[in-house]
Amino acid sequence: MKPFIFDARNGIHIIDLSKTLTQLEAACDFLSGTVRKGGKVIFVGTKKQAQQCVKEIAKECGQFYVTERWLGGTLTNFNTIKRSIGRLKEIEKMDADGSLANYGKQEQAVIRREASRLHKYFDGIRAMDRIPAAMFVVDIKREHNAVAEARKLKMPIIALVDTNCDPDLVDYPVAANDDAIRSVRMILATVGQIITQGCAEFEAKHARRPATEETAPGEAQAAAGVPAGTTPIAVETAPPVA
C-alpha cells in the first residue's frame, strides 16, 4: 500500500486521495462495462460498519449482496447453496399457501427457525442463478474467504483497500479507510449510481431489440408494395399456349 499512502503522522497513515479518485474511476468504468453486458455484481461487506450500507446500495441497483457471515463454498460450491435457497423458497411457499399449518406446533417452530436462518444468510443471493460477473468487497482482510473463492474462479474483484491490506489480491483496488462509515458510504453511493446507469442502458438496449425485429417484416412488405399486416398470396398463372 506504500504507493497509495500520502504521509504518516503519529503512526497513522494518510491515504493519497488523488490516487483513490483515479482508482475509483477505473473501477467504475469496469463495473459500468460489466453491467451493460448484462453481468451481475455481488457486494460483500460483513463488518458492522458496512452491513446496512452495502445492503441498501446493492438493493437499489438490483445486485446481490452478502452482509452476514460468508459461508464457505458460496461460489465454489454453488450447487449446494442453490439447494439451500430452494429450501428457503419452499418454506416461504408453505407459509403463504397455509400448508405449514398442517404440521404440529413443534414442527412449525423448527421449520420457522430453519427459514429464519436461511433468510439471514441467503436473502441477498436468493435470485442468483449463476456465478456473478464481478465482486465488490469492503475490507478484503476480513472477507479473505470470499476473495479466495473469487480468485479461484478468476472473478474480477473490486475492493476498498485500507493501509493494512495487500492491493495485489484484487483487480481494481480503491485505497480508502474501510473502517469509516462515511468513506464506505460515499464510495458505495458512487458505485451504485454507475451500476444503476449501466443496468438502465442494458435494459433499454434489449427493449429496443424486439421492437426492431417486429418492424422488420412490415418494412419488407412495404418495400414489396404489400400493405403492412397482410399475408402475401401466391397466384398461380396458366402456362403459355404454344
Side-chain angles (χ1 to χ4, degrees):
M1 284 297 293
K2 188 174 181 181
F4 310 122
I5 296 175
F6 176 74
D7 197 6
R9 298 174 186 173
N10 300 324
I12 300 173
H13 293 94
I14 301 173
I15 294 172
D16 189 343
L17 294 182
S18 64
K19 293 186 178 179
T20 298
L21 178 60
T22 303
Q23 292 172 327
L24 182 58
E25 289 175 347
C28 287
D29 287 343
F30 169 75
L31 287 170
S32 178
T34 299
V35 296
R36 278 187 300 191
K37 296 175 184 176
K40 287 286 189 177
V41 180
I42 182 169
F43 286 79
V44 183
T46 63
K47 65 195 310 179
K48 191 173 181 181
Q49 305 95 307
Q51 282 180 326
Q52 189 61 31
C53 181
V54 168
K55 185 175 181 179
E56 289 175 0
I57 296 298
K59 281 188 171 183
E60 287 176 6
C61 56
Q63 306 301 308
F64 310 124
Y65 62 89
V66 174
T67 55
E68 297 296 335
R69 182 171 66 90
W70 178 272
L71 298 180
T74 298
L75 295 178
T76 54
N77 192 16
F78 186 56
N79 288 332
T80 302
I81 298 299
K82 284 177 71 175
R83 285 197 293 271
S84 297
I85 295 173
R87 175 59 177 164
L88 172 61
K89 293 178 179 178
E90 179 187 353
I91 296 174
E92 290 177 340
K93 183 180 179 182
M94 290 166 58
D95 193 19
D97 60 21
S99 59
L100 187 60
N102 297 330
Y103 292 85
K105 288 185 178 180
Q106 289 186 347
E107 291 176 314
Q108 287 186 39
V110 171
I111 293 173
R112 291 186 190 281
R113 281 197 299 270
E114 180 187 2
S116 177
R117 181 179 60 82
L118 292 172
H119 186 275
K120 178 180 179 180
Y121 291 114
F122 300 119
D123 186 49
I125 59 173
R126 61 188 302 153
M128 191 169 76
D129 56 358
R130 56 190 173 90
I131 300 298
M135 174 185 286
F136 189 100
V137 182
V138 178
D139 191 349
I140 61 174
K141 199 167 186 178
R142 182 185 178 92
E143 315 299 346
H144 59 92
N145 288 332
V147 171
E149 289 191 28
R151 285 170 59 86
K152 185 174 182 179
L153 296 176
K154 301 188 184 306
M155 178 189 300
I157 305 173
I158 306 93
L160 299 188
V161 181
D162 210 334
T163 54
N164 62 340
C165 298
D166 181 6
D168 294 334
L169 293 175
V170 299
D171 301 277
Y172 296 90
V174 179
N177 184 357
D178 56 27
D179 294 314
I181 185 60
R182 290 180 63 186
S183 170
V184 173
R185 187 173 291 276
M186 184 179 298
I187 292 175
L188 280 175
T190 302
V191 168
Q193 290 177 358
I194 294 297
I195 291 177
T196 301
Q197 292 174 3
C199 288
E201 291 180 18
F202 172 75
E203 291 173 1
K205 180 180 178 182
H206 280 257
R208 288 195 302 267
R209 186 173 296 175
T212 305
E213 292 174 354
E214 289 176 4
T215 57
E219 293 174 357
Q221 290 184 3
V226 180
T230 61
T231 303
I233 301 175
V235 179
E236 294 183 2
T237 58
V241 180

